[in-house]
Amino acid sequence: ARIQWKYALFSKVARSPGPSAFRGEPLHFGLRRAEFRNLKKRRPDTSSGQWPISSTSEALPNDPLGPSLEDPRGANHVPHKLVIANQKGGVAKTTTTLCLARYFSERGLRVLIVDTDPQGSVTLALRGTNRVEHDLHDFIVRQLSFDLCKITVAERIDVLPSNKETTKVDAILGLNPSQLFSFRGTFAPVEKDYDLMLFDCAPSISVVQTAALIYAQRLLIPVAMDILAIHGALACLETAQNMNEFYNNTDVRAVALLPVMVDRRLQATKMTLEMLEKIAGKYELEVLPGIRTDQAVQRSNRGKAFLADHDPRSKALEDYAAAAGRLAEIMNVKTPISAVAPVQTAEEATA
């Protein structure tokens, strides 16, 4: 029964029109919807202690989309948490994570980026390599000190890096379903040091991503201007719904859709934006201001730098600022600094 539950997290069957490969095919752990519902009926006996599900009363404040940081350094400080995910690759998830982190750090918030992608996209973007001395695996599995595992990439921005060792975290957490809720305890001592925690995810559902969603409860979905990115966004939205049905005391919700790589000269862009508006209406979401295509993004990646450091005048950075500002309003993020504060580069911060 435990093996069944290990692989029975949830299933996803895309409903929107599209390639036949997406119709009726399970995208998560090889289970179709009927199998998911049958397994759901056979819930394990929680009285034995095999499925301890902690309460979310502390993780979920009264505010519908997150705690207010009126006093982000107060005794009752609770950081905002946000997962950035789309089950389609190449939709600027890492770029979005880095730009949001930079935006909020410039306004006085302390930001932690947790890289859950075994490819180590965050450190690749900033350092050109995902080789680090300690990583997410060391923090979660080996239980090394957080200060030993984190790296500082800029003033008020820390990263808990990832690499191929993260796949081992998947295997270990998957052995016991209760471990999907372990992030609440694992990251609890860290929360007091940050105002915002961002989780950058791989373009597929995994045990680590599931644990991050259960912990953060909030989801931002970047969507590139193509049909496969739409399918990836729909997969994320239905994943959130399935998780809420499958697990007790869980309220995973998307906060917004973020159009990226927007070129309004193209017919595909117009069609994709129209589809996003329909999806947003169906799921009662907001579509954030779009991010225009900009070669400065690729140049900043090649230069191993934040976009704000590489080209402070880039149009993509301007768009990310508008999107982040609206996201802050949606999530009720109160920044201690209204004006932009100077932020050191990664080299200055680690000097």
Side-chain angles (χ1 to χ4, degrees), residues 26 72 104 110 117 121-122 155 178 184 188-189 201 203 205 208 213 232 238 265-266 295 344 346:
F104 287 109
R110 303 161 297 174
D117 187 350
S121 301
V122 173
E155 186 180 6
S178 65
R184 294 174 180 172
C201 297
I205 195 64
V208 173
L213 282 168
E238 190 160 340
R265 299 171 299 177
L266 302 179
Q295 293 301 316
Q344 294 177 331

PDB file of all heavy atoms in Angstrom, residues 26 72 104 110 117 121-122 155 178 184 188-189 201 203 205 208 213 232 238 265-266 295 344 346:
ATOM      1  N   PRO A  26      -1.357  10.419 -18.977  1.00  0.00           N
ATOM      2  CA  PRO A  26      -0.970  10.862 -17.640  1.00  0.00           C
ATOM      3  C   PRO A  26       0.388  11.538 -17.672  1.00  0.00           C
ATOM      4  O   PRO A  26       1.295  11.067 -18.347  1.00  0.00           O
ATOM      5  CB  PRO A  26      -0.914   9.555 -16.840  1.00  0.00           C
ATOM      6  CG  PRO A  26      -0.635   8.501 -17.870  1.00  0.00           C
ATOM      7  CD  PRO A  26      -1.294   8.972 -19.134  1.00  0.00           C
ATOM      8  N   PRO A  72       8.133  43.395   8.969  1.00  0.00           N
ATOM      9  CA  PRO A  72       8.787  42.170   8.554  1.00  0.00           C
ATOM     10  C   PRO A  72       9.856  41.699   9.522  1.00  0.00           C
ATOM     11  O   PRO A  72      10.381  40.610   9.378  1.00  0.00           O
ATOM     12  CB  PRO A  72       9.381  42.534   7.180  1.00  0.00           C
ATOM     13  CG  PRO A  72       9.526  44.006   7.196  1.00  0.00           C
ATOM     14  CD  PRO A  72       8.407  44.511   8.063  1.00  0.00           C
ATOM     15  N   PHE A 104      12.622  42.725  -5.239  1.00  0.00           N
ATOM     16  CA  PHE A 104      12.226  42.843  -3.842  1.00  0.00           C
ATOM     17  C   PHE A 104      13.412  43.130  -2.934  1.00  0.00           C
ATOM     18  O   PHE A 104      13.264  43.809  -1.918  1.00  0.00           O
ATOM     19  CB  PHE A 104      11.494  41.581  -3.397  1.00  0.00           C
ATOM     20  CG  PHE A 104      10.105  41.474  -3.954  1.00  0.00           C
ATOM     21  CD1 PHE A 104       9.805  40.534  -4.925  1.00  0.00           C
ATOM     22  CD2 PHE A 104       9.102  42.322  -3.529  1.00  0.00           C
ATOM     23  CE1 PHE A 104       8.520  40.440  -5.450  1.00  0.00           C
ATOM     24  CE2 PHE A 104       7.814  42.243  -4.051  1.00  0.00           C
ATOM     25  CZ  PHE A 104       7.525  41.299  -5.022  1.00  0.00           C
ATOM     26  N   ARG A 110      14.570  40.729   2.508  1.00  0.00           N
ATOM     27  CA  ARG A 110      15.592  39.680   2.494  1.00  0.00           C
ATOM     28  C   ARG A 110      15.012  38.476   1.759  1.00  0.00           C
ATOM     29  O   ARG A 110      13.967  37.956   2.157  1.00  0.00           O
ATOM     30  CB  ARG A 110      15.980  39.312   3.923  1.00  0.00           C
ATOM     31  CG  ARG A 110      16.484  40.501   4.748  1.00  0.00           C
ATOM     32  CD  ARG A 110      16.409  40.189   6.234  1.00  0.00           C
ATOM     33  NE  ARG A 110      15.031  39.962   6.656  1.00  0.00           N
ATOM     34  CZ  ARG A 110      14.695  39.555   7.877  1.00  0.00           C
ATOM     35  NH1 ARG A 110      15.624  39.338   8.779  1.00  0.00           N
ATOM     36  NH2 ARG A 110      13.431  39.356   8.187  1.00  0.00           N
ATOM     37  N   ASP A 117      15.654  22.510  -8.904  1.00  0.00           N
ATOM     38  CA  ASP A 117      15.909  21.902 -10.208  1.00  0.00           C
ATOM     39  C   ASP A 117      17.256  21.192 -10.187  1.00  0.00           C
ATOM     40  O   ASP A 117      18.287  21.822  -9.924  1.00  0.00           O
ATOM     41  CB  ASP A 117      15.909  22.989 -11.283  1.00  0.00           C
ATOM     42  CG  ASP A 117      16.005  22.422 -12.690  1.00  0.00           C
ATOM     43  OD1 ASP A 117      16.267  21.211 -12.837  1.00  0.00           O
ATOM     44  OD2 ASP A 117      15.826  23.196 -13.648  1.00  0.00           O
ATOM     45  N   SER A 121      19.800  25.493 -12.215  1.00  0.00           N
ATOM     46  CA  SER A 121      19.672  26.610 -13.150  1.00  0.00           C
ATOM     47  C   SER A 121      20.080  27.955 -12.538  1.00  0.00           C
ATOM     48  O   SER A 121      20.650  28.802 -13.228  1.00  0.00           O
ATOM     49  CB  SER A 121      18.227  26.692 -13.655  1.00  0.00           C
ATOM     50  OG  SER A 121      17.846  25.498 -14.289  1.00  0.00           O
ATOM     51  N   VAL A 122      19.789  28.157 -11.267  1.00  0.00           N
ATOM     52  CA  VAL A 122      20.085  29.456 -10.644  1.00  0.00           C
ATOM     53  C   VAL A 122      21.590  29.703 -10.587  1.00  0.00           C
ATOM     54  O   VAL A 122      22.076  30.771 -10.989  1.00  0.00           O
ATOM     55  CB  VAL A 122      19.464  29.534  -9.240  1.00  0.00           C
ATOM     56  CG1 VAL A 122      19.920  30.801  -8.522  1.00  0.00           C
ATOM     57  CG2 VAL A 122      17.941  29.499  -9.335  1.00  0.00           C
ATOM     58  N   GLU A 155      23.515  41.417  -2.173  1.00  0.00           N
ATOM     59  CA  GLU A 155      23.057  41.906  -0.882  1.00  0.00           C
ATOM     60  C   GLU A 155      21.566  41.593  -0.724  1.00  0.00           C
ATOM     61  O   GLU A 155      20.762  41.842  -1.597  1.00  0.00           O
ATOM     62  CB  GLU A 155      23.284  43.415  -0.775  1.00  0.00           C
ATOM     63  CG  GLU A 155      22.969  43.974   0.603  1.00  0.00           C
ATOM     64  CD  GLU A 155      23.204  45.477   0.685  1.00  0.00           C
ATOM     65  OE1 GLU A 155      23.504  46.078  -0.371  1.00  0.00           O
ATOM     66  OE2 GLU A 155      23.081  46.027   1.786  1.00  0.00           O
ATOM     67  N   SER A 178       4.482  11.051   4.279  1.00  0.00           N
ATOM     68  CA  SER A 178       4.473  12.132   5.267  1.00  0.00           C
ATOM     69  C   SER A 178       5.640  13.085   5.064  1.00  0.00           C
ATOM     70  O   SER A 178       5.594  14.236   5.503  1.00  0.00           O
ATOM     71  CB  SER A 178       4.521  11.556   6.686  1.00  0.00           C
ATOM     72  OG  SER A 178       5.750  10.887   6.916  1.00  0.00           O
ATOM     73  N   ARG A 184       7.987  22.045   6.059  1.00  0.00           N
ATOM     74  CA  ARG A 184       7.491  22.954   7.088  1.00  0.00           C
ATOM     75  C   ARG A 184       8.405  22.961   8.301  1.00  0.00           C
ATOM     76  O   ARG A 184       8.666  24.013   8.882  1.00  0.00           O
ATOM     77  CB  ARG A 184       6.070  22.548   7.491  1.00  0.00           C
ATOM     78  CG  ARG A 184       5.059  22.719   6.380  1.00  0.00           C
ATOM     79  CD  ARG A 184       3.695  22.157   6.776  1.00  0.00           C
ATOM     80  NE  ARG A 184       2.723  22.330   5.698  1.00  0.00           N
ATOM     81  CZ  ARG A 184       1.509  21.809   5.708  1.00  0.00           C
ATOM     82  NH1 ARG A 184       1.115  21.082   6.737  1.00  0.00           N
ATOM     83  NH2 ARG A 184       0.693  22.001   4.694  1.00  0.00           N
ATOM     84  N   ALA A 188      11.556  25.858   8.913  1.00  0.00           N
ATOM     85  CA  ALA A 188      11.048  26.703  10.001  1.00  0.00           C
ATOM     86  C   ALA A 188      12.138  27.547  10.662  1.00  0.00           C
ATOM     87  O   ALA A 188      11.939  28.757  10.891  1.00  0.00           O
ATOM     88  CB  ALA A 188      10.313  25.848  11.028  1.00  0.00           C
ATOM     89  N   PRO A 189      13.317  26.993  10.979  1.00  0.00           N
ATOM     90  CA  PRO A 189      14.350  27.826  11.614  1.00  0.00           C
ATOM     91  C   PRO A 189      14.906  28.911  10.697  1.00  0.00           C
ATOM     92  O   PRO A 189      15.522  29.869  11.168  1.00  0.00           O
ATOM     93  CB  PRO A 189      15.442  26.807  11.980  1.00  0.00           C
ATOM     94  CG  PRO A 189      14.780  25.477  11.951  1.00  0.00           C
ATOM     95  CD  PRO A 189      13.728  25.576  10.899  1.00  0.00           C
ATOM     96  N   CYS A 201      11.673  25.851  -9.881  1.00  0.00           N
ATOM     97  CA  CYS A 201      11.387  24.424 -10.077  1.00  0.00           C
ATOM     98  C   CYS A 201      11.761  23.937 -11.466  1.00  0.00           C
ATOM     99  O   CYS A 201      11.814  24.713 -12.424  1.00  0.00           O
ATOM    100  CB  CYS A 201       9.899  24.144  -9.820  1.00  0.00           C
ATOM    101  SG  CYS A 201       9.384  24.485  -8.123  1.00  0.00           S
ATOM    102  N   PRO A 203      11.034  21.754 -14.963  1.00  0.00           N
ATOM    103  CA  PRO A 203       9.831  21.740 -15.813  1.00  0.00           C
ATOM    104  C   PRO A 203       9.094  20.412 -15.789  1.00  0.00           C
ATOM    105  O   PRO A 203       8.662  19.910 -16.823  1.00  0.00           O
ATOM    106  CB  PRO A 203      10.406  22.038 -17.204  1.00  0.00           C
ATOM    107  CG  PRO A 203      11.782  21.483 -17.159  1.00  0.00           C
ATOM    108  CD  PRO A 203      12.269  21.733 -15.758  1.00  0.00           C
ATOM    109  N   ILE A 205       6.787  17.728 -12.700  1.00  0.00           N
ATOM    110  CA  ILE A 205       6.433  17.528 -11.304  1.00  0.00           C
ATOM    111  C   ILE A 205       7.395  16.508 -10.703  1.00  0.00           C
ATOM    112  O   ILE A 205       7.797  15.555 -11.339  1.00  0.00           O
ATOM    113  CB  ILE A 205       4.976  17.075 -11.153  1.00  0.00           C
ATOM    114  CG1 ILE A 205       4.504  17.219  -9.708  1.00  0.00           C
ATOM    115  CG2 ILE A 205       4.795  15.661 -11.661  1.00  0.00           C
ATOM    116  CD1 ILE A 205       4.470  18.620  -9.185  1.00  0.00           C
ATOM    117  N   VAL A 208      10.176  16.657  -4.793  1.00  0.00           N
ATOM    118  CA  VAL A 208      10.682  17.896  -4.193  1.00  0.00           C
ATOM    119  C   VAL A 208       9.777  19.064  -4.537  1.00  0.00           C
ATOM    120  O   VAL A 208       9.462  19.904  -3.683  1.00  0.00           O
ATOM    121  CB  VAL A 208      12.129  18.164  -4.661  1.00  0.00           C
ATOM    122  CG1 VAL A 208      12.596  19.532  -4.178  1.00  0.00           C
ATOM    123  CG2 VAL A 208      13.063  17.084  -4.149  1.00  0.00           C
ATOM    124  N   LEU A 213       5.481  22.954  -3.052  1.00  0.00           N
ATOM    125  CA  LEU A 213       4.128  23.485  -3.215  1.00  0.00           C
ATOM    126  C   LEU A 213       3.320  23.364  -1.927  1.00  0.00           C
ATOM    127  O   LEU A 213       2.599  24.293  -1.542  1.00  0.00           O
ATOM    128  CB  LEU A 213       3.421  22.766  -4.355  1.00  0.00           C
ATOM    129  CG  LEU A 213       3.782  23.197  -5.780  1.00  0.00           C
ATOM    130  CD1 LEU A 213       3.225  22.216  -6.794  1.00  0.00           C
ATOM    131  CD2 LEU A 213       3.271  24.601  -6.066  1.00  0.00           C
ATOM    132  N   GLY A 232       1.516  23.320 -20.262  1.00  0.00           N
ATOM    133  CA  GLY A 232       2.277  23.243 -19.019  1.00  0.00           C
ATOM    134  C   GLY A 232       1.623  24.034 -17.902  1.00  0.00           C
ATOM    135  O   GLY A 232       1.612  23.602 -16.743  1.00  0.00           O
ATOM    136  N   GLU A 238      -4.078  22.213 -12.635  1.00  0.00           N
ATOM    137  CA  GLU A 238      -4.803  21.026 -12.212  1.00  0.00           C
ATOM    138  C   GLU A 238      -4.026  20.252 -11.152  1.00  0.00           C
ATOM    139  O   GLU A 238      -4.613  19.606 -10.282  1.00  0.00           O
ATOM    140  CB  GLU A 238      -5.117  20.127 -13.404  1.00  0.00           C
ATOM    141  CG  GLU A 238      -6.080  19.020 -13.030  1.00  0.00           C
ATOM    142  CD  GLU A 238      -6.787  18.413 -14.223  1.00  0.00           C
ATOM    143  OE1 GLU A 238      -6.840  19.071 -15.284  1.00  0.00           O
ATOM    144  OE2 GLU A 238      -7.271  17.282 -14.083  1.00  0.00           O
ATOM    145  N   ARG A 265       4.045  41.464 -32.316  1.00  0.00           N
ATOM    146  CA  ARG A 265       3.979  41.466 -33.777  1.00  0.00           C
ATOM    147  C   ARG A 265       3.546  40.111 -34.318  1.00  0.00           C
ATOM    148  O   ARG A 265       3.136  40.013 -35.485  1.00  0.00           O
ATOM    149  CB  ARG A 265       5.347  41.832 -34.364  1.00  0.00           C
ATOM    150  CG  ARG A 265       5.863  43.220 -33.971  1.00  0.00           C
ATOM    151  CD  ARG A 265       7.292  43.399 -34.414  1.00  0.00           C
ATOM    152  NE  ARG A 265       8.169  42.419 -33.774  1.00  0.00           N
ATOM    153  CZ  ARG A 265       9.480  42.315 -34.035  1.00  0.00           C
ATOM    154  NH1 ARG A 265      10.044  43.122 -34.936  1.00  0.00           N
ATOM    155  NH2 ARG A 265      10.214  41.403 -33.413  1.00  0.00           N
ATOM    156  N   LEU A 266       3.640  39.086 -33.503  1.00  0.00           N
ATOM    157  CA  LEU A 266       3.373  37.726 -33.959  1.00  0.00           C
ATOM    158  C   LEU A 266       1.934  37.320 -33.687  1.00  0.00           C
ATOM    159  O   LEU A 266       1.379  37.625 -32.623  1.00  0.00           O
ATOM    160  CB  LEU A 266       4.321  36.746 -33.271  1.00  0.00           C
ATOM    161  CG  LEU A 266       5.824  37.013 -33.463  1.00  0.00           C
ATOM    162  CD1 LEU A 266       6.639  35.985 -32.700  1.00  0.00           C
ATOM    163  CD2 LEU A 266       6.189  37.018 -34.939  1.00  0.00           C
ATOM    164  N   GLN A 295      16.924  40.583 -25.980  1.00  0.00           N
ATOM    165  CA  GLN A 295      18.203  39.893 -26.093  1.00  0.00           C
ATOM    166  C   GLN A 295      19.091  40.132 -24.880  1.00  0.00           C
ATOM    167  O   GLN A 295      20.034  39.370 -24.630  1.00  0.00           O
ATOM    168  CB  GLN A 295      18.939  40.351 -27.362  1.00  0.00           C
ATOM    169  CG  GLN A 295      18.266  39.947 -28.654  1.00  0.00           C
ATOM    170  CD  GLN A 295      18.112  38.446 -28.779  1.00  0.00           C
ATOM    171  OE1 GLN A 295      19.040  37.689 -28.485  1.00  0.00           O
ATOM    172  NE2 GLN A 295      16.943  37.995 -29.196  1.00  0.00           N
ATOM    173  N   GLN A 344      24.314  45.491  -3.808  1.00  0.00           N
ATOM    174  CA  GLN A 344      25.624  45.101  -4.241  1.00  0.00           C
ATOM    175  C   GLN A 344      25.547  43.982  -5.266  1.00  0.00           C
ATOM    176  O   GLN A 344      24.587  43.220  -5.308  1.00  0.00           O
ATOM    177  CB  GLN A 344      26.448  44.613  -3.046  1.00  0.00           C
ATOM    178  CG  GLN A 344      26.758  45.687  -2.018  1.00  0.00           C
ATOM    179  CD  GLN A 344      27.507  45.108  -0.840  1.00  0.00           C
ATOM    180  OE1 GLN A 344      27.356  43.945  -0.504  1.00  0.00           O
ATOM    181  NE2 GLN A 344      28.330  45.928  -0.215  1.00  0.00           N
ATOM    182  N   ALA A 346      26.994  40.379  -6.902  1.00  0.00           N
ATOM    183  CA  ALA A 346      27.370  39.128  -6.240  1.00  0.00           C
ATOM    184  C   ALA A 346      28.816  39.166  -5.793  1.00  0.00           C
ATOM    185  O   ALA A 346      29.168  38.689  -4.721  1.00  0.00           O
ATOM    186  CB  ALA A 346      27.124  37.957  -7.197  1.00  0.00           C
TER     187      ALA A 346
END
